[in-house]
Amino acid sequence: MQYQNVRGGRVRLASIIQPEVDFNHAEKGDALYAMELALSLEKLNFQKLRELHDVASDANDAQMCDFIEGTLLAPQVESVKQVAEYVSQLRRVGKGLGVWEFDRKLQADLDAQAAA
């Protein structure tokens, strides 16, 4: 929003309705299915950022291209990589105790990041 204001644009906020999503999946389990949905959302976000970059490039807007590359694309790539690793780990551990152990490890990793 700040960048849009700097460029002379206006920000219009609207309410977003939460979609109805059921994370229960009999074969995969709740955690794996939810993480796969998160991965598809991260990939979609990356694709839309690339399309936005292409539009800025076609318009010869170097400042916008630099902003997208430097501020948005790099963290998005890391996010896709991280969620893809989680999906891979959840596929390996299966349901039940494996998910519980994965959750413990994930919580420990998040606590370590917060402490750093």
Side-chain angles (χ1 to χ4, degrees):
M1 290 188 289
Q2 180 183 6
Y3 183 76
Q4 191 169 358
N5 286 331
V6 168
R7 298 284 306 251
R10 292 186 182 169
V11 177
R12 286 186 8 181
L13 301 176
S15 62
I16 299 174
I17 299 172
Q18 180 179 358
E20 293 183 30
V21 177
D22 186 18
F23 293 113
N24 296 327
H25 195 279
E27 293 177 21
K28 296 180 181 178
D30 300 343
L32 176 58
Y33 185 62
M35 203 59 77
E36 285 177 342
L37 289 175
L39 179 60
S40 66
L41 184 60
E42 292 291 339
K43 287 180 177 180
L44 177 66
N45 194 17
F46 179 74
Q47 177 187 358
K48 296 301 179 182
L49 286 172
R50 290 293 311 259
E51 291 173 6
L52 181 61
H53 184 273
D54 292 342
V55 168
S57 180
D58 292 343
N60 294 324
D61 190 349
Q63 185 180 11
M64 182 68 166
C65 287
D66 182 58
F67 174 75
I68 293 170
E69 290 169 8
T71 307
L72 302 175
L73 278 178
Q76 189 63 36
V77 169
E78 290 299 318
S79 180
V80 169
K81 180 181 177 285
Q82 185 67 50
V83 175
E85 288 175 1
Y86 291 157
V87 168
S88 177
Q89 290 171 3
L90 282 168
R91 283 187 180 139
R92 277 187 255 135
V93 300
K95 293 193 259 183
L97 182 61
V99 173
W100 185 77
E101 286 293 332
F102 172 81
D103 192 42
R104 273 191 31 196
K105 181 187 177 306
L106 183 61
Q107 185 62 47
D109 291 347
L110 291 174
D111 290 343
Q113 286 178 357

